[in-house]
Amino acid sequence: MFNYLIKSRPGQFLLVGIFFIILGFIFAPFIEIVSRLSFYAAIFFLGFFAAKSAVVDTIQSKSPNVDLLMILAALGAVLINYESEGAILLLIFAGAEALEDYASAKSTNAISELMSQVPSTAQVLKDNGEVVEIPTDDLNIGDTVVVSKGELIPIDGITDRQTMVNEAALTGESVPVSKEKGDEVFAGTINEGHAFHLEVNKLSNETVFSNIIRMVEEAQNRPSNVSKFIDRIESKYVISVLVGVPIFIFILYAFNDFTFQEAFYRGMVMLTVASPCALVASATPATLSAISNGARNGVLFKGGAAMEALSTMDVLYSDKTGTLTHGEFEVVDYAAQEDILSEVVYMEQQSSHPIARAIVDTFNYLDLNQVDRNEPVEEMAGSGMKKGEIQIGKPSVFDQYEDIHNYRKKAIDGNTNIFVGKNNKIVGYFSLADRVRKESAEAVAGFQKEGIRVALLTGDNETVAKKVADEVGGVDYVASCLPEDKIKYIHESQQAGKIVGMIGDGINDAPALANAEIGIAMGSGSSVAMESSDVVIVKNNLAKLFYSFKLSHRLNRIIVGNVAFSIGVILALVILNLFGLLNLPMAVLFHEGSTILVILNGLRLLRQGKQKK
């Protein structure tokens, strides 16, 4: 904290103000003029940024803020020769502001931690064979980057040979992933295999990590609903205090036999205790702390409202592949003629779906030179892919197709089955297996224990859906869902008055994510899914979402507690002042002290322990 004060201009002014306050009290018994001048200097330094904010914000927004009340209270204290009380008032107010800025800085550290995982420079291979070091920001698409063994990968790109990459920073999986020639590797991950050349395919501001950093930055600038409500009422409240205090002074002077100085003194006490400093600080520091905590634990919230809303969820719908399961399929059985097989592999090369990757990896030995590449491959969201007369997709797509080889019976029950059709006939099938994530079952059990209904919405068949639903804890499920079906179930729950969360990772999940109150995307999923969501689970661990759910509950409890405490303090101090039981020093101590307590209470969310990986 002290280092922060030294490095920031408001912190430096705060320290200088403290020096002059100490000087004022030292000289008070001996040289009154020096003491007063010291307190005036303290008021200048401690009130400088508050006065600047009061003037600038009042002019720009055409409405006064709480800073204006504090400056007026301090100036009022000076007018009736209570310079020391005015200085102390601004000292505690400036200290509370510095503490809130410190909370914001701590939250911003989440971005710094993320950015430190990506190298700032890269080794670029030039056409003449020379390797030069240049800033990562200067890399262009098509540049060749040399990545040595053990190094952090500086940018997203395509590898030119087989290697092993540790993607724990993105996926949370500590086991290195095998990357073949032509596979994409990501900035911030570690090359644990052989050195390779990387062909840059994204600019530094387009990488997966840069998108994560951007989302954290945007989240910090999107206030929670409570913060927005407090911001809306702040100016109205300040205006009412500015109007009410002169009336209060007039009543005391005109009807209660107070001298003007006594009435004005009580008015300054009222101006101090009625200021909503603690109320204004009730939500923002706590929300920023919670967002920072979530980011450190691999969950990104696109704003305080998303963090706040998570705890209100009643129903959680989830996609299957890549969310509840690993999304790493293995072909365990298949049947298709070689020419059809080649067409299928070529078509699946155009897709990033886990099933497509499994088929391509299994049959990477095939020669695809005979495949007609002039005919376009069309991806049909939620159904499969099509190229001319050949179509690949889930079994339900082929209900009207003739099955002359009895492939429907040969497909393995309980696995994910993909059929191939041509000219209204089923000409091949692939049976693939996936594994349920252990942490998904733990998270589902946690949500169910909290009274949240969890349901699986999947495009897979009934058998596969039931198998996965049973493995993750006997949740409800709906099989053979198209994208529009997922939206339908979300709308039905919403019409029943439920707050709906939806987890997904694919392009076909994006509409459902956008329609749910709380859209949750897996970090390894499509960019469209991440853009459509409110929350991103960076490390593909559903247990992280349950951790954030509990964090959201803690955030809301702290905000409610802060608001209740702030209002209670204001009411108590106002009542004490009405009965003449409160002097200015005590008013300053209790009122501004409550602001500091509220901010410190919010900062507790920074210290919550990290969720295990």
Side-chain angles (χ1 to χ4, degrees):
M1 178 70 179
F2 185 71
N3 289 336
Y4 169 75
L5 293 178
I6 293 175
K7 292 177 181 178
S8 69
R9 183 58 62 85
Q12 293 166 357
F13 274 47
L14 174 61
L15 293 175
V16 173
I18 292 173
F19 168 77
F20 278 113
I21 284 180
I22 294 172
L23 202 65
F25 281 115
I26 290 173
F27 280 100
F30 310 111
I31 310 175
E32 184 181 354
I33 186 63
V34 174
S35 175
R36 285 195 171 189
L37 289 175
S38 297
F39 286 129
Y40 291 152
I43 288 171
F44 171 79
F45 283 102
L46 295 171
F48 179 82
F49 287 99
K52 183 179 178 182
S53 173
V55 173
V56 172
D57 286 357
T58 301
I59 292 174
Q60 289 181 346
S61 63
K62 297 180 181 178
S63 59
N65 60 15
V66 68
D67 291 357
L68 180 61
L69 295 184
M70 291 296 97
I71 295 300
L72 290 176
L75 292 177
V78 170
L79 289 175
I80 54 176
N81 298 321
Y82 281 84
E83 299 89 354
S84 60
E85 283 82 355
I88 295 295
L89 168 64
L90 291 180
L91 168 63
I92 303 178
F93 182 73
E97 290 284 302
L99 194 59
E100 187 166 356
D101 290 342
Y102 175 70
S104 299
K106 290 285 286 183
S107 178
T108 305
N109 285 344
I111 297 177
S112 301
E113 290 174 12
L114 287 171
M115 293 181 71
S116 67
Q117 296 184 54
V118 180
S120 59
T121 61
Q123 304 293 324
V124 177
L125 179 64
K126 296 296 185 180
D127 293 337
N128 60 5
E130 182 185 3
V131 177
V132 297
E133 183 175 272
I134 68 170
T136 308
D137 291 343
D138 293 343
L139 290 172
N140 295 309
I141 294 175
D143 284 348
T144 300
V145 175
V146 179
V147 183
S148 301
K149 182 174 181 177
E151 282 190 350
L152 283 167
I153 297 172
I155 199 164
D156 291 5
I158 306 298
T159 176
D160 70 335
R161 67 194 69 176
Q162 193 276 335
T163 189
M164 300 293 291
V165 177
N166 187 328
E167 297 185 335
L170 287 177
T171 66
E173 301 291 344
S174 58
V175 178
V177 178
S178 176
K179 295 289 184 177
E180 304 296 329
K181 178 180 179 180
D183 284 352
E184 187 174 21
V185 294
F186 304 102
T189 58
I190 304 171
N191 176 28
E192 294 191 356
H194 302 294
F196 64 89
H197 292 169
L198 174 154
E199 181 184 339
V200 178
N201 68 345
K202 292 176 185 172
L203 298 177
S204 62
N205 62 350
E206 298 172 341
T207 65
V208 173
F209 249 106
S210 66
N211 286 333
I212 290 171
I213 292 167
R214 175 178 54 79
M215 282 188 282
V216 176
E217 289 176 328
E218 289 176 352
Q220 294 173 337
N221 293 319
R222 292 178 180 172
S224 65
N225 290 328
V226 173
S227 296
K228 287 190 284 188
F229 174 74
I230 291 174
D231 288 342
R232 284 200 303 271
I233 67 171
E234 180 184 351
S235 61
K236 296 181 177 65
Y237 183 91
V238 169
I239 291 172
S240 66
V241 172
L242 290 174
V243 172
V245 167
I247 294 174
F248 177 67
I249 293 172
F250 175 76
I251 291 173
L252 293 180
Y253 178 67
F255 301 105
N256 288 274
D257 297 327
F258 279 78
T259 67
F260 179 77
Q261 183 167 355
E262 291 172 335
F264 193 80
Y265 179 86
R266 290 273 294 277
M268 291 305 98
V269 174
M270 181 65 75
L271 186 60
T272 301
V273 300
S275 299
C277 301
L279 184 62
V280 170
S282 293
T284 300
T287 303
L288 289 175
S289 298
I291 290 173
S292 177
N293 188 322
R296 290 202 311 273
N297 283 282
V299 181
L300 306 182
F301 289 86
K302 296 183 180 179
M307 168 63 83
E308 197 176 79
L310 186 59
S311 65
T312 66
M313 185 169 60
D314 300 308
V315 180
L316 178 61
Y317 289 118
S318 177
D319 183 40
K320 177 183 75 69
T321 305
T323 51
L324 297 180
T325 66
H326 284 274
E328 297 172 359
F329 285 93
E330 178 185 359
V331 178
V332 295
D333 190 25
Y334 78 97
Q337 294 179 359
E338 190 168 331
D339 60 328
I340 295 295
L341 192 56
S342 297
E343 289 282 359
V344 169
V345 173
Y346 171 73
M347 292 167 66
E348 297 288 26
Q349 285 179 343
Q350 321 303 313
S351 173
S352 61
H353 194 281
I355 290 176
R357 291 199 300 269
I359 292 174
V360 171
D361 290 344
T362 302
F363 303 101
N364 58 11
Y365 58 85
L366 288 175
D367 183 0
L368 305 182
N369 289 328
Q370 303 303 315
V371 175
D372 180 7
R373 299 170 186 271
N374 294 320
E375 199 158 18
V377 177
E378 178 185 358
E379 184 163 357
M380 297 172 292
S383 297
M385 305 187 76
K386 186 175 183 181
K387 175 176 176 276
E389 297 175 341
I390 299 176
Q391 186 167 349
I392 314 166
K394 63 179 69 175
S396 60
V397 175
F398 302 91
D399 285 345
Q400 306 302 318
Y401 278 54
E402 187 180 354
D403 185 12
I404 58 177
H405 301 291
N406 289 321
Y407 286 148
R408 289 194 181 97
K409 292 184 178 179
K410 293 179 181 178
I412 301 173
D413 283 346
N415 285 352
T416 298
N417 297 304
I418 302 297
F419 285 175
V420 185
K422 183 178 181 181
N423 296 327
N424 290 318
K425 294 179 181 178
I426 297 176
V427 294
Y429 80 94
F430 298 85
S431 187
L432 302 98
D434 191 8
R435 292 179 296 117
V436 170
R437 296 176 184 269
K438 179 183 176 183
E439 60 271 18
S440 297
E442 294 172 354
V444 167
F447 280 118
Q448 290 176 324
K449 189 176 180 181
E450 293 291 330
I452 294 172
R453 175 178 170 250
V454 182
L456 169 63
L457 302 179
T458 177
D460 268 318
N461 60 61
E462 176 81 14
T463 307
V464 174
K466 185 178 187 307
K467 178 183 176 184
V468 172
D470 289 342
E471 287 185 28
V472 296
V475 301
D476 297 333
Y477 68 90
V478 181
S480 303
C481 274
L482 296 172
E484 53 267 32
D485 295 326
K486 295 181 180 182
I487 296 173
K488 182 188 76 171
Y489 286 107
I490 288 172
H491 285 170
E492 285 179 356
S493 294
Q494 290 170 334
Q495 288 166 5
K498 305 296 183 183
I499 304 297
V500 178
M502 172 71 198
I503 313 172
D505 69 337
I507 295 173
N508 59 318
D509 295 319
L513 294 174
N515 276 271
E517 279 91 353
I518 309 157
I520 305 155
M522 304 299 277
S524 64
S526 69
S527 58
V528 177
M530 285 193 280
E531 290 294 334
S532 303
S533 65
D534 306 296
V535 183
V536 178
I537 307 174
V538 178
K539 297 187 176 180
N540 288 2
N541 185 341
L542 208 58
K544 304 283 187 181
L545 181 65
F546 184 66
Y547 170 82
S548 297
F549 171 78
K550 302 293 285 184
L551 182 66
S552 176
H553 271 288
R554 290 194 294 270
L555 169 65
N556 287 339
R557 283 198 299 269
I558 283 176
I559 289 177
V560 170
N562 282 349
V563 169
F565 174 72
S566 303
I567 294 174
V569 169
I570 290 173
L571 290 176
L573 295 179
V574 166
I575 291 171
L576 288 173
N577 186 44
L578 288 175
F579 286 98
L581 301 175
L582 193 66
N583 58 30
L584 189 55
M586 295 301 293
V588 169
L589 180 63
F590 284 119
H591 183 267
E592 295 306 317
S594 68
T595 303
I596 291 176
L597 288 176
V598 160
I599 295 172
L600 289 174
N601 192 37
L603 288 180
R604 288 194 299 123
L605 288 170
L606 284 171
R607 299 195 302 270
Q608 298 291 342
K610 289 188 177 183
Q611 176 77 2
K612 66 182 181 179
K613 293 180 181 177

